[in-house]
Amino acid sequence: GEGGNLGFTQLGRIEASRHGVLINTDAIDNSAGVDMSDHEVNIKILLNEVVASGDMTLKQRNQLLAAMTDEVSALVLANNYKQTQALSIAERRARERQGEYKRLIAALEASGGLDRALEFLPSDEALAERAANGHGLTRPELSVLISYSKIDLKVALLRSALPDDAYLAAEMETAFPPRLAKQQRAAMRRHRLRREIIATQLANDLVNHMGITFVQRLKESTGMGEAAIAHAYVVVRDLFRLPYWWAQIETLDYQLPADLQLGLMEELMRLGRRATRWFLRNRRSEPLDAARAMAHFAPHVASLGERLDELLEGPPREQWLARYQGYVEAGVPESLARMVAGASHLYTLLAVIDAADTTGCEPLEVAAAYFAVGSALDLNWYHQQITSLAVENNWQALAREAYRDDLEWQQRAITVSILRMPAAADIEARLALWLEQQTQLVERWRGMLSELRSASGTDYAMYAVANRELLDLAQSAALCEGRTPG
């Protein structure tokens, strides 16, 4: 509730935060006024052009402005709610993601946008000392970084052709009251600040919902630029209906513990990050067409997602059920509990649909085969071990993501091999025959998993070797049908 300009110095805010005070920066707490001014300017530019074209009188324009006061206020309050929510999520993981913030700060400095000393951000040595003592960046420091990350992303998007993409025209409407979006859609497309508004809305949406370090993390792990990352994010956001599910969590304010709400949101963020990465890694050959991707993937994701709990088997289904029941008992609505409980599996539906395109099989059949392969080879457990690997530096972070990519690709390759087997009618029989044909390599793989289970500690080299064994298994299966995976 603090909004007094200069009520604290930034160093005072940081010290207060380190002693348990919940505090942002005055720029965050007073951002509603700036946001309101931006909305006012954008709306007046739009309506003045409508008046100039003769489609509205000045009197009608003034009456409409007055009538939309509450709607504009709601937009402004929603923006501020989202931004402080993003800071709360960031604060939960500030310590464990210290390395990501260190690299983000370095990248913002290199671009010339951030002066670390001017903003009282800690040096690399100070960050290392904090990490050693179990502390991360404070909320006031995160408040500085969320602002700079949004500005940096907006500038990058404006330098690209992304704001001109027809699919992203809908982002324009999110900056205006619903009645204007409905009545003046054509005029919005002609708005003189159209590109700037689209870039601003997209930057705010992405950083608020996916986190302060999201873009930097994906730039490092995929080599793709800001525009490509934002484009893939929009597809994933709409494909998995993330705004709808996020809103469902927000409606539970004061009904659930805030910590549980933030945990649910983190599950959606993880789904969004992994699915965005999938598109960036698997659609490199040509620019992503958002409209075409949505038309192709959305119907299959919706139908398969509804049956996810039926498709899972063995320990993965038991884990899904335990998570689902835990959420419901905590007061989470059933539909939301079902979705979030399966969020860690939902992004794999992209690989399933891709395999269906390759084989010509029905996506439901491919999904059944995909999860059956995972169960037979205990790949879900292996995936969990990779995900739980402790990360101490950027190289380990990149390695962990590469291991997950490799695992997903090998599971897809094995699934395709099984689906192409002509000898048996159903998936269960084909899988049994495949396991028999690959007995030696399958036993070697299972032996590798036994060693991993009995090993103490986490050694990245072990997982590098294990991934190589799984690759040998996938390649052997592919060679049996006269092809090479990938």
Side-chain angles (χ1 to χ4, degrees):
E2 182 272 318
N5 288 343
L6 304 181
F8 282 78
T9 65
Q10 178 67 354
L11 289 177
R13 291 172 184 276
I14 293 169
E15 183 177 351
S17 182
R18 295 189 70 175
H19 285 81
V21 178
L22 296 179
I23 187 170
N24 300 315
T25 60
D26 53 9
I28 296 294
D29 290 331
N30 291 321
S31 61
V34 176
D35 196 15
M36 179 66 78
S37 296
D38 288 344
H39 277 85
E40 180 183 357
V41 169
N42 291 334
I43 290 172
K44 285 182 176 179
I45 289 175
L46 172 69
L47 294 182
N48 287 348
E49 291 177 350
V50 174
V51 170
S53 67
D55 293 329
M56 180 182 292
T57 66
L58 184 60
K59 181 179 179 180
Q60 289 174 324
R61 173 258 198 196
N62 292 340
Q63 290 174 337
L64 180 57
L65 284 174
M68 292 190 300
T69 300
D70 289 344
E71 293 177 60
V72 175
S73 297
L75 290 174
V76 171
L77 290 173
N79 286 343
N80 282 258
Y81 176 97
K82 293 283 189 184
Q83 184 162 250
T84 53
Q85 180 187 85
L87 288 171
S88 295
I89 294 174
E91 192 177 22
R92 280 165 56 93
R93 303 293 179 217
R95 162 62 186 89
E96 64 190 67
R97 293 186 174 166
Q98 191 83 288
E100 293 180 25
Y101 286 108
K102 177 182 174 181
R103 294 190 299 279
L104 174 63
I105 291 171
L108 291 172
E109 282 187 302
S111 68
L114 173 67
D115 185 325
R116 190 192 301 228
L118 182 65
E119 297 293 353
F120 301 104
L121 290 171
S123 64
D124 288 350
E125 293 75 15
L127 284 172
E129 183 180 349
R130 284 196 201 181
N133 294 324
H135 301 297
L137 290 171
T138 64
R139 195 176 179 100
E141 291 164 332
L142 293 170
S143 297
V144 171
L145 289 179
I146 198 172
S147 300
Y148 274 93
S149 62
K150 288 180 177 181
I151 293 169
D152 190 69
L153 179 57
K154 177 186 173 181
V155 170
L157 295 180
L158 279 173
R159 289 172 178 165
S160 74
L162 191 59
D164 302 313
D165 189 300
Y167 185 84
L168 293 179
E171 300 298 315
M172 187 78 178
E173 298 175 14
T174 63
F176 294 89
R179 73 174 73 185
L180 271 186
K182 181 179 180 180
Q183 297 173 5
Q184 302 295 339
R185 184 169 285 111
M188 281 185 190
R189 303 296 191 267
R190 301 190 300 270
H191 199 292
R192 70 181 70 171
L193 298 178
R194 181 185 59 80
R195 298 185 88 256
E196 287 79 4
I197 293 172
I198 289 174
T200 299
Q201 292 298 104
L202 185 51
N204 286 338
D205 176 50
L206 187 152
V207 175
N208 285 343
H209 286 119
M210 297 309 298
I212 299 171
T213 63
F214 173 75
V215 171
Q216 182 65 26
R217 179 173 175 176
L218 285 181
K219 283 173 65 178
E220 292 173 349
S221 64
T222 68
M224 304 296 278
E226 292 92 343
I229 293 168
H231 204 172
Y233 160 72
V234 169
V235 173
V236 167
R237 179 197 68 188
D238 296 349
L239 191 60
F240 290 99
R241 301 173 63 216
L242 294 183
Y244 170 81
W245 295 113
W246 205 281
Q248 297 305 301
I249 299 172
E250 292 171 348
T251 61
L252 300 174
D253 283 355
Y254 310 112
Q255 299 176 44
L256 296 180
D259 194 60
L260 175 56
Q261 282 182 283
L262 295 175
L264 295 171
M265 290 172 180
E266 285 181 333
E267 292 293 334
L268 297 186
M269 292 172 69
R270 191 173 295 110
L271 167 61
R273 183 173 63 248
R274 290 178 177 176
T276 300
R277 179 179 170 85
W278 187 91
F279 274 105
L280 293 172
R281 301 287 291 183
N282 290 276
R283 293 294 183 272
R284 288 181 178 273
S285 58
E286 58 184 26
L288 182 63
D289 185 321
R292 186 167 63 183
M294 281 295 299
H296 178 63
F297 284 94
H300 300 311
V301 165
S303 61
L304 294 174
E306 291 176 355
R307 305 182 64 171
L308 184 64
D309 57 315
E310 301 173 23
L311 293 166
L312 295 174
E313 54 183 70
R317 192 180 192 289
E318 293 170 6
Q319 291 167 4
W320 175 89
L321 186 60
R323 284 163 58 83
Y324 166 72
Q325 291 175 339
Y327 287 142
V328 171
E329 290 171 5
V332 178
E334 185 176 343
S335 60
L336 177 61
R338 289 176 61 87
M339 190 276 178
V340 178
S344 60
H345 296 285
L346 282 172
Y347 87 100
T348 63
L349 297 180
L350 301 176
V352 166
I353 297 166
D354 202 41
D357 295 338
T358 299
T359 61
C361 297
E362 287 297 318
L364 184 61
E365 180 185 16
V366 177
Y370 187 89
F371 290 115
V373 167
S375 179
L377 299 177
D378 219 351
L379 299 183
N380 187 68
W381 177 86
Y382 182 60
H383 181 274
Q384 290 175 337
Q385 303 315 298
I386 293 175
T387 299
S388 64
L389 281 171
V391 171
E392 298 179 0
N393 55 60
N394 190 41
W395 286 107
Q396 288 184 344
L398 294 175
R400 187 175 65 177
E401 292 194 329
Y403 293 161
R404 280 198 296 248
D405 285 346
D406 290 344
L407 170 58
E408 176 196 292
W409 182 253
Q410 307 317 337
Q411 185 170 350
R412 177 195 178 279
I414 293 170
T415 300
V416 169
S417 296
I418 290 171
L419 290 169
R420 285 176 165 166
M421 293 178 65
D426 57 49
I427 295 300
E428 185 177 346
R430 285 189 236 182
L431 177 57
L433 179 59
W434 181 86
L435 291 170
E436 182 181 345
Q437 292 175 345
Q438 306 295 332
T439 298
Q440 184 175 357
L441 288 175
V442 168
E443 289 305 314
R444 184 172 173 81
W445 167 249
R446 288 173 174 163
M448 184 72 66
L449 292 183
S450 295
E451 290 190 40
L452 287 172
R453 285 189 174 95
S454 61
S456 59
T458 55
D459 184 344
Y460 274 74
M462 295 174 64
Y463 290 89
V465 173
N467 267 22
R468 179 66 210 187
E469 291 296 329
L470 190 59
L471 174 62
D472 287 345
L473 185 55
Q475 287 180 329
S476 177
L479 289 173
C480 287
E481 54 176 291
R483 62 182 184 87
T484 302

